[in-house]
């Protein structure tokens, strides 16, 4: 048997009425045998007597030093530590955790019924139920429910009655007492944007960096068990889903320009408020559209400029190549034409020496017309195929006179060729035909070929 708890623990032999052993510990408030040891509740924490020794009970190497008023056994593995001003704690002597929403309570005692916990505290009677292996506060009973005093010192449950001891007497209440919900309204007490109050008439604000939205939620609630009050809220379009909370103050930071709707609801009571944050000039849609349009225009203009420059370079190169070709063609004509002129004059000289003035005159007339036509066409870069054929015909007529009518020729033109509209470089064919005549016939005139061979026709196909 153990003696006085105030000054210490005395182990007494009840048969001989003598003290067997003394454990010096002051401020002892409660004792309990648990897990083959004696738990000692003191004003400076939890102690234990095990193997005849008094020691501290530690949790994760931390000493539990809060003042304990009583110890209540919950099960074979857990006990409840009721403290003076710090609420109640559940422990298995290895781990310890706070009973939810019991902070700051002076818990005088507790009663365990099945798996329910009833706390007798300085703020009334609290009931906890076990759900999903966690205790949650189900209800709270105060003077509004018939308790003589808020200060409940102890509790005992007999059948369906609660027997409470208070500072103002003993109260017997029905255990299944229903608590009426008396939430009348929930409302947005205050909404501020950077310390500017948002109202229906003042709900548009300019965008500021590091802006802050502060919202205070209030309610009109006569329900005594108001510690369980919670509500849902969302800020559209930032939050699309409802969020549950029990705090009465909500803050949002760095909101971007937009129109927002803050909504709050609880027990079918819904409220909302709308406000707008206007963008700065460089955040507006039109500014972004103009910038995008300008950049797009500059991009296409740069592409167009580079394309045009590339085309100009190609055109310049083609023009230079064309000029080079024309120069080469002129150089070729300048080499070919003197031969023709020399040969024609030699033929005229021949006819004069032969005293064949009629032939020489006829030859000279044709030659002069050909030379005049040649000088007229030499100014042109291109001529039609019709003009080129006329030039060739005049030239071959002169050569025919030169060879004393022994030269016959025939110009064949493909029917698919449009000679009136088809253009070729000036004097392109004449030098070729001239070379063919001079090198193919003239050198064979005297000895190598007979008259019969000279009379054979020469054909030129176009």
């Amino acid at each position: 048997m153990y003696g006085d708890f105030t000054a210490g623990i005395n182990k007494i032999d009840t048969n001989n009425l003598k003290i067997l052993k003394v454990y010096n510990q002051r401020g002892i408030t409660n004792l309990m045998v648990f897990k083959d040891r004696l738990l000692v509740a003191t004003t400076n924490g939890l102690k234990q007597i095990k193997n005849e020794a008094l020691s501290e009970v530690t949790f994760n190497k931390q000493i539990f030093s809060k003042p304990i008023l009583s110890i209540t056994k919950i099960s074979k593995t857990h006990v409840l530590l009721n403290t003076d001003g710090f609420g109640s704690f559940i422990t298995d002597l290895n781990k310890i955790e706070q009973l939810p929403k019991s902070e700051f309570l002076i818990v005088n005692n507790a009663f365990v019924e099945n798996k329910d916990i009833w706390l007798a505290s300085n703020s009334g009677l609290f009931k906890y139920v076990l759900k999903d292996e966690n205790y949650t506060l189900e209800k709270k009973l105060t003077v509004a429910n018939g308790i003589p005093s808020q200060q409940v010192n102890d509790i005992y449950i007999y059948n369906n009655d609660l027997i409470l001891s208070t500072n103002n007497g003993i109260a017997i209440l029905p255990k299944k007492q229903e608590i009426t919900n008396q939430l009348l309204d929930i409302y947005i007490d205050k909404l501020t944007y950077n310390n500017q109050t948002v109202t229906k008439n003042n709900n548009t604000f300019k965008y500021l960096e590091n802006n802050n939205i502060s919202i205070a939620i209030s309610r009109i609630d006569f329900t005594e068990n108001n510690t369980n009050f919670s509500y849902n809220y969302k800020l559209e379009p930032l939050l699309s889903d409802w969020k549950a909370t029990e705090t009465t103050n909500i803050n949002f930071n760095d909101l971007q320009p937009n129109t927002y709707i803050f909504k709050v609801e609880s027990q079918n009571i819904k409220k909302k408020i709308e406000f707008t944050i206007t963008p700065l000039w460089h955040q507006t849609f039109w500014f972004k559209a103009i910038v995008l349009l300008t950049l797009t225009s500059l991009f296409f203009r740069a592409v167009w400029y580079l394309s045009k420059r590339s085309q100009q370079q190609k055109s310049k190169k083609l023009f230079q190549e064309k000029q080079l070709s024309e120069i080469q063609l002129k150089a070729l004509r300048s080499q070919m034409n003197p031969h023709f002129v020399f040969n024609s004059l030699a033929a005229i000289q021949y006819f004069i020496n032969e005293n064949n003035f009629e032939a020489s005159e006829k030859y000279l007339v044709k030659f002069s017309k050909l030379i005049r036509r040649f000088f007229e066409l030499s100014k042109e870069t291109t001529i039609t195929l019709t003009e080129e054929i006329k030039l060739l015909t005049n030239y071959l007529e002169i050569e025919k006179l030169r060879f004393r009518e022994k030269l016959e020729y025939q110009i064949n033109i493909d029917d698919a060729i449009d000679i009136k509209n088809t253009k070729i470089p000036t004097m392109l064919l004449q030098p070729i035909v001239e070379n063919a005549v001079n090198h193919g016939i003239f050198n064979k005139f005297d000895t190598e070929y007979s008259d019969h061979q000279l009379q054979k026709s020469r054909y030129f196909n176009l």
Side-chain angles (χ1 to χ4, degrees), residues 34-37 39 46 48 50 56-64 76-81 89-97:
F34 184 73
K35 289 187 177 181
D36 64 10
R37 71 195 71 186
L39 296 180
L46 183 65
Q48 64 180 357
K50 186 178 181 180
E56 303 277 359
V57 178
T58 59
F59 303 95
N60 295 327
K61 298 182 181 180
Q62 297 293 324
I63 297 174
F64 187 79
K76 293 181 179 180
T77 58
H78 290 79
V79 294
L80 186 69
L81 306 180
F89 295 84
I90 298 176
T91 179
D92 60 357
L93 300 186
N94 292 316
K95 297 184 296 181
I96 189 169
E97 58 183 14

Side-chain angles (χ1 to χ4, degrees), residues 251-353:
N251 291 284
F252 296 96
N253 296 315
D254 298 329
L255 293 183
Q256 296 302 308
N258 208 337
T259 297
Y260 296 92
I261 302 176
F262 179 77
K263 296 181 179 181
V264 59
E265 68 170 11
S266 179
Q267 300 180 17
N268 297 323
I269 301 175
K270 299 180 180 180
K271 296 294 174 65
K272 68 178 181 179
I273 189 170
E274 181 178 327
F275 62 94
T276 300
I277 301 176
T278 59
L280 300 176
W281 64 270
H282 61 273
Q283 295 175 318
T284 60
F285 169 79
W286 291 111
F287 175 78
K288 294 178 180 178
I290 291 173
V291 170
L292 180 61
L293 185 62
T294 302
L295 293 177
T296 304
S297 176
L298 290 175
F299 171 76
F300 282 107
R301 185 173 181 84
V303 172
W304 173 81
Y305 173 77
L306 294 175
S307 177
K308 184 178 179 181
R309 183 177 178 183
S310 176
Q311 189 64 34
Q312 287 177 344
Q313 291 177 347
K314 290 181 180 179
S315 300
K316 184 178 180 181
K317 184 176 180 181
L318 290 175
F319 179 73
Q320 291 175 346
E321 291 177 352
K322 183 179 179 182
Q323 281 186 325
L324 179 61
S325 299
E326 290 177 354
I327 292 172
Q328 291 174 347
L329 184 60
K330 288 180 179 179
L332 179 62
R333 286 201 294 262
S334 65
Q335 293 176 0
M336 294 292 184
N337 293 334
H339 294 289
F340 167 69
V341 173
F342 175 77
N343 292 334
S344 298
L345 292 177
I348 294 171
Q349 183 182 9
Y350 171 79
F351 285 121
I352 294 174
N353 292 334

